[in-house]
């Protein structure tokens, strides 16, 4: 079992690529080992390809985790010394690369954003591997996130991202994360969803956990950031 953070999102990683355990056992491991973490990554191998099975700290499985995917790729490259460029998730095949010491992940193809208004917040519902609600506000620091974030999360069964536009391509994002049932220091797929709604080519995302970059290229959306062994 190893511990990592990625831009403040905190994970426990279990490498079970040489064995297999039941879903119940996975859930038990998660509940026992993620009390001070946001989620858990299980490293598995299916038909010769590495597979990331992701669980939130509350034991719920999620099809994808953007920051978790960056940790997963870092682990394959730096710890297992596997020179692979892709791995499987429940949101499909994910491509990764390392440059300038940062981990880049090509994010799952987003769904079409649906504009909605709820609890006086106008925003967009879209899926980037997992469901997100993105709403732009004047000042994210003034949001009572554990109050309104929780309410919106329950109503939408989605991760809730409050976004403040600081400049043409810089945003500040706070996320109430489903399955953590609280604010996380950053959310990779939430940062990506927010950048998609902003719709600029290279978006700097400022989160409590640090800086992420979202690159909107002609072949997709890439999430860039660091990984730490803590
Ligand atoms: N809590 C999310 C999964 C983790 C997403 C987040 N940690 C990320 O970096 O994308 C959900 O259940 O939809």
């Amino acid at each position: 079992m190893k511990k990592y953070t990625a831009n403040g999102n905190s994970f426990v990683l279990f490498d079970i690529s040489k064995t297999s355990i039941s879903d119940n056992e996975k859930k038990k491991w998660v509940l026992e080992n993620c009390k001070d973490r946001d989620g858990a990554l299980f490293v598995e191998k299916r038909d010769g390809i590495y597979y990331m099975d992701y669980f939130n700290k509350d034991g719920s499985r999620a099809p994808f985790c953007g920051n978790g995917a960056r940790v997963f790729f870092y682990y394959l490259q730096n710890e297992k010394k596997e020179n692979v460029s892709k791995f499987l998730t429940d949101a499909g095949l994910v491509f990764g690369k390392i440059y300038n010491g940062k981990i880049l992940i090509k994010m799952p193809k987003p769904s079409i954003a649906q504009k909605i208004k709820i609890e006086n917040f106008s925003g967009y519902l879209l899926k980037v591997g997992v469901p997100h609600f993105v709403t732009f506000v004047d000042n994210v620091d003034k949001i009572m996130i554990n109050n309104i974030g929780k309410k919106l999360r329950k109503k939408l069964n989605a991760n809730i991202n409050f976004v403040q536009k600081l400049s043409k391509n810089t945003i500040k994002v706070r996320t109430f994360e489903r399955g953590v049932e609280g604010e996380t220091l950053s959310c990779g797929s939430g940062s990506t969803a927010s950048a998609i709604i902003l719709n600029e080519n290279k978006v700097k995302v400022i989160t409590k956990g640090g800086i992420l970059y979202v690159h909107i290229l002609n072949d997709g959306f890439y999430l860039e950031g660091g990984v730490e062994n803590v």
Side-chain angles (χ1 to χ4, degrees), residues 215-230:
H215 304 267
I216 299 183
L217 307 180
N218 55 15
D219 71 333
F221 301 87
Y222 288 81
L223 175 69
E224 175 196 336
V227 167
E228 305 82 32
N229 295 57
V230 284

Side-chain angles (χ1 to χ4, degrees), residues 14-30 42-44 46 53 55 61:
F14 299 100
D15 187 338
I16 57 169
S17 56
K18 292 193 170 40
T19 176
S20 78
I21 63 172
S22 71
D23 274 8
N24 284 340
E25 279 176 292
K26 283 181 182 173
K27 187 167 178 174
K28 188 165 163 287
W29 279 15
V30 171
F42 288 91
V43 181
E44 302 185 39
R46 296 194 177 172
D53 195 7
F55 284 73
R61 176 183 263 133

